[in-house]
Amino acid sequence: MAKPIKSTSTEWRDVVLICRKCSKKLDGGFGPDGDLTLKKALRKYLHLKTGKKGRKGELTVAGVDCFDICPKGAVVAVNAARPQNLLIVPAGSDLFEVKSLLGLDDGHRRKAADLG
């Protein structure tokens, strides 16, 4: 007898998917020193390691398999809420611009500030 399918909830408002293959080929290129992958640089820039994380956070940045675009000197990223808009992010790109183009806002930080 097969086990029943279960579900679990998250508090995610946005899910950012970043190509692992592109990241591995590029070997860094992001962050202040240019030594971080886009996934790690975005997590650090968006302060995802502090406060609620995992399923309890409002945003997650995850590495996924190849999107079959394979740009040279860049990484493919997408906000899962807007899959029609794949971003090709060149190494050294400004993370504020990346955040804006992915459609991420600071709403969760503003909400927390309003409560406190």
Side-chain angles (χ1 to χ4, degrees), residues 2-17:
K3 290 185 178 183
I5 297 173
K6 297 179 181 181
S7 67
T8 187
S9 62
T10 71
E11 294 181 19
W12 298 340
R13 288 186 308 118
D14 289 300
V15 176
V16 176
L17 307 175

Side-chain angles (χ1 to χ4, degrees), residues 64-82:
V64 295
D65 288 337
C66 189
F67 288 105
D68 290 331
I69 296 175
C70 303
K72 291 187 191 244
V75 177
V76 177
V78 64
N79 183 335
R82 300 177 1 183

Side-chain angles (χ1 to χ4, degrees), residues 19-23 25-26 65-77 86-89:
C19 179
R20 279 192 291 252
K21 187 175 175 183
C22 293
S23 294
K25 282 184 178 181
L26 198 54
D65 288 337
C66 189
F67 288 105
D68 290 331
I69 296 175
C70 303
K72 291 187 191 244
V75 177
V76 177
L86 294 175
L87 292 182
I88 299 172
V89 184

